[in-house]
Amino acid sequence: MYDPLTSRYTFPCPTHGDARVRLSAFRELERLPGAAHPCVYRISFSCTCGDEHVGLLTHDELDWEPLGLGEGTYLNLMTDRFEPVGAELGDLAARRIQAGDWPWSFFCYPEDRPRPIFPSAFFLLAPGNPGGSVGIAVRCPACSRTSINLVSPAHVDLPFFNDGEVGVVEHVFADDALSALEDFRAELYSADFDARRLSLE
Ligand SMILES: [Zn+2]
Ligand SMILES: [Zn+2]
């Protein structure tokens, strides 16, 4: 469950009952095989209690609820509009996307260009170096290759907030190079980052 007013997802926590965490507290996202509709993501996240737990999110909860586009909303391909939403928040988000303003983006290193994404494109996240930053491993929806970016927490947590410039690891990763969080962390703390502009225009 997602609360758009605080930008937090709610998961069960064995210590506190409920954990309310931002997207930047996610550590691993994995689309579960099998259930095609709705598809379900296994999320491991760093909890406020100090432990990491696992929770499940449907695709709608992960990608659409942060935009106020929850259950029952769909992209009408005839009109190219999201219908029906009901909530003004969702309506506003839909109009911004149609105007070319993307809720999330990253820099695709293999393609050497910024790309719009949704949270389901993130698959590994970890606190970055320098502190306060967030390292993200993203599977590009256009070329399906992996890039590592270094961004601000707000870039991840707040829809329609995109850093003007992000750090990019100048490396083309093999498909299975970052299968584990440890591999990703090792890469994140040893790599050099190059600054790239993130304007999607
Ligand atoms: Zn907890
Ligand atoms: Zn790409």
Side-chain angles (χ1 to χ4, degrees), residues 133-199:
S133 62
V134 182
I136 54 175
V138 181
R139 202 166 284 121
C140 180
C143 73
S144 17
R145 283 177 292 181
T146 296
S147 294
I148 294 181
N149 287 184
L150 195 63
V151 301
S152 71
H155 178 88
V156 175
D157 292 332
L158 303 179
F160 299 107
F161 181 96
N162 291 285
D163 290 347
E165 209 172 71
V166 299
V168 178
V169 176
E170 297 186 288
H171 184 74
V172 177
F173 294 97
D175 284 348
D176 57 351
L178 298 171
S179 51
L181 191 58
E182 297 78 60
D183 299 340
F184 171 61
R185 283 196 170 117
E187 187 65 42
L188 197 59
Y189 302 138
S190 63
D192 288 328
F193 287 87
D194 204 54
R196 296 293 157 88
R197 293 193 56 77
L198 205 52
S199 168

Side-chain angles (χ1 to χ4, degrees), residues 13 47 49 53:
C13 162
C47 184
C49 76
H53 314 305

